[in-house]
Amino acid sequence: MIDEVEDRRNQSHYNRRVNIYKQQQQHLPLEPYTHTYTVCTADLNHFVDPTNTSMALAFDEYGRPFIILREQESKSRLRGIDAQKANIAAGVAVSRILRTSLGPKGMDKMLQSPDGDITITNDGATILEQMDVDNQIGKLMVELSRSQDYEIGDGTTGVVVMAGALLEQAEKLLERGIHPIRVAEGFEISSRIAVDHLEKIAHKFDFSATNIEPLVQTCMTTLSSKIVNRCKRSLAEIAVKSVMAVADLERKDVNLDLIKVEGKVGGKLEDTELIYGIIVDKDMSHPQMPKQIEDAKIAILTCPFEPPKPKTKHKVDIDTVEKFQTLRKQEQKYFDDMVQKCKDVGATLVICQWGFDDEANHLLMHRNLPAVRWVGGVELELIAIATGGRIVPRFQELTPEKLGKAGLVREKAFGTTKDRMLYIEHCANSKAVTVFIRGGNKMMIEETKRSIHDALCVARNLIRNNSIVYGGGAAEISCSIAVEAAADKYPGVEQYAIRAFADALDSVPMALAENSGLSPIETLSAVKAQQIKENNHCCGIDCNDTGTNDMREQNVFETLIGKQQQILLATQVVKMILKIDDVISPSEY
Ligand code: ADP
Ligand code: MG
């Protein structure tokens, strides 16, 4: 209904504008409008350029000023090479933003949401996701980063930098008069060469449940470019251990849903821990209940510890002390029966969705049955799944089989506040683990969550496929050399595109060097020369100034599938952009 009224109102407003516009076209020349400037508000004056005849200022019947644009001029259409150039410029603009965030010395971005929330991040996918990109080609770049995030989880900045570099190269080729289709084909050929080459230079390594060092090293490379790189060793270990805890090594499969990442403001990043179980943001209902329960048998209840309440139609008259005493006894018996029922089935902990009043609370404490109250439905389900228990809706239905089992349930206090959390560890059925992040403020915790996500994805990718390539731009430089060499074998125009692709591959190490304060061209050419001379594909950019640019010594590894995916996805998007030769935007009134 309200929508309808709103619609009608908009419609009439629209009609009014159109009428004024028509009037103006028929009778009023645009020039005399200059005299209206004395009337209109000061703000609008600088918007309307008196020499611009496609724009005019008009007033509606309430005297409110608005601007009229001539319709033809507000429509835009780009064709052929202009369309391609405009699209390339848009794509390159987006990738330029991310370029400075690449690598261990990359900068972070601070993004403010419309309602004032602040995000500080280094993660390409997050930056693009939160940026308000209006341009359609810009949105393709956002999609590109997102698909890398979905499929691989890491390398979201690199993929956009790579796509931007390819677009820049494509523009040069188009200017030289090479047809976009030939460029696209050349890029396709080159991407296949690069992906095959990566396969050749990749290393396999062995790991087992006891030897997780290679996994940790690779996760550390991922974390080294994040804000949290101060604690990259401990965070990488946490990520690898949690992935190993839920991994099915035989099927080479990891269900990341079993890893919950929780955060609580306070403490320091070093306090971040891995919990083999789950945590719930609740505490024991009575301060004197035991804080630690071993081999807990948990009753998970959705029924309240309360005597049934009389419905509104009933009336209870209490006019003598005896009657009150009877009622009180009755109530106490109810509580007693409930507690007894829980004790009878062998529960040593009660987790309740509802609250219970002081009477019940006191009784529970007295009968030595620890309890937790006001646990949310979602958490209740999680506890049930993890401990292998059943959610029980009525006391009568409580049986020993329905109890959940956990090796240790403990309450932990934080800082000087009354903040307490319940740790439910060594659960019976599930392999679920929780990464519990501590940090100085909310932004830090959010960024740590994103960084841990990247590290978890990398560990999972390594379990799926244990091949690695060397990071720090070493893999890109090696591919660039291979692609460049292959270019000569192609007799057609494609060879220009293939060489251009090789140049674009160099842009990743160049960006790494630039961001680390090195001179990009000199550093790149030195490393490239070294790779060719020593036939060593491990030479990369020494971002941290460690004195060696051998990435094997620096332990800078990246996953093979991540790198391959980056090249494939970037090429795909660039091909798509090159094939657009007509851009018709809707006319904006
Ligand atoms: P992405 O979002 O693409 O993962 P990052 O900001 O994480 O972007 O940067 C990743 C790049 O930084 C990779 O090319 C990786 O090889 C490089 N890198 C990471 N750690 C190091 C290091 N210690 N030395 C040199 N290069 C590094
Ligand atoms: Mg990364």
Side-chain angles (χ1 to χ4, degrees), residues 349-399:
L349 173 68
V350 180
I351 290 182
C352 192
Q353 190 174 20
W354 301 100
F356 27 82
D357 57 20
D358 292 344
E359 179 93 45
N361 201 5
H362 175 79
L363 203 70
L364 282 165
M365 197 271 293
H366 210 71
R367 301 282 301 271
N368 221 347
L369 186 60
V372 184
R373 57 181 158 180
W374 295 309
V375 179
V378 180
E379 284 160 330
L380 214 62
E381 263 172 44
L382 196 75
I383 295 172
I385 294 169
T387 59
R390 299 282 285 273
I391 297 177
V392 179
R394 268 178 289 273
F395 282 98
Q396 296 86 322
E397 290 177 18
L398 211 51
T399 55

Side-chain angles (χ1 to χ4, degrees), residues 122-123 153-157 221-223 225-226 454 558:
N122 178 280
D123 186 53
D154 187 30
T156 50
T157 319
T221 303
T222 296
L223 291 173
S225 54
K226 307 287 181 197
D454 280 20
E558 284 185 81

Side-chain angles (χ1 to χ4, degrees), residues 101-104 106 122-125 153-159 220-226 232 454 470-474 476 508 512 540-544 551 554-558 563 566:
S101 289
L102 186 76
N122 178 280
D123 186 53
D154 187 30
T156 50
T157 319
V159 70
M220 271 166 68
T221 303
T222 296
L223 291 173
S224 66
S225 54
K226 307 287 181 197
K232 61 179 172 182
D454 280 20
Y470 293 98
E476 282 90 350
V508 172
L512 285 175
I541 308 292
D542 179 17
C543 295
N544 292 330
M551 292 297 139
Q554 284 203 31
N555 286 328
V556 177
F557 307 136
E558 284 185 81
K563 203 82 292 159
Q566 271 185 338

